[in-house]
Amino acid sequence: MLAHMSDAPDVDPEDRKIITLARSARARNGVPEGAAVRDETGRTYVAGTVALASLRLSALQTAVAMAVASGATSLEAAAVVSGSAELPADDLAAVRDLGGPGTPVLLAAPDGSLRTADVV
């Protein structure tokens, strides 16, 4: 279940950074979504959608997997840039699995404007 964060227009500079990284991954790779996550040490992991015949991962699932593969034990925040108005439950579950309850998930439009800021 998601709890909606405040609708304040100001986005924390560290959160703005992961939105920018997600946006650039989407544009650079020409994929439907870009994502970035920040782990407990402040390291960031950036990914795009993976769409192979044998493997399909959303950008957020890929970014979470990259963090896990690099030794991250928790997440501070996650961001996705997408044309979609909401994130699938599987994406939110991946963030919750690594970050735990209370991890913020930001969803931004392709232009980088914040659509939603939720907590898993």
Side-chain angles (χ1 to χ4, degrees):
M1 178 173 203
L2 294 177
H4 201 63
M5 293 173 63
S6 72
D7 290 328
D10 296 327
V11 176
D12 176 90
E14 291 300 311
D15 292 343
R16 176 57 56 199
K17 177 181 169 185
I18 61 173
I19 290 171
T20 300
L21 289 169
R23 185 174 181 221
S24 66
R26 181 180 184 269
R28 178 180 60 250
N29 298 327
V31 292
E33 294 180 339
V37 298
R38 185 175 61 247
D39 75 8
E40 74 281 1
T41 68
R43 290 179 297 184
T44 55
Y45 305 88
V46 182
T49 308
V50 174
L52 301 173
S54 62
L55 180 63
R56 292 203 173 287
L57 294 172
S58 71
L60 188 52
Q61 290 169 333
T62 305
V64 170
M66 291 171 64
V68 170
S70 296
T73 58
S74 185
L75 294 177
E76 290 182 351
V80 177
V81 173
S82 173
S84 298
E86 62 184 11
L87 293 172
D90 288 347
D91 281 14
L92 300 173
V95 171
R96 190 179 317 104
D97 285 350
L98 183 57
T103 305
V105 180
L106 310 169
L107 176 60
D111 67 0
S113 62
L114 186 63
R115 282 193 172 139
T116 63
D118 293 302
V119 177
V120 294

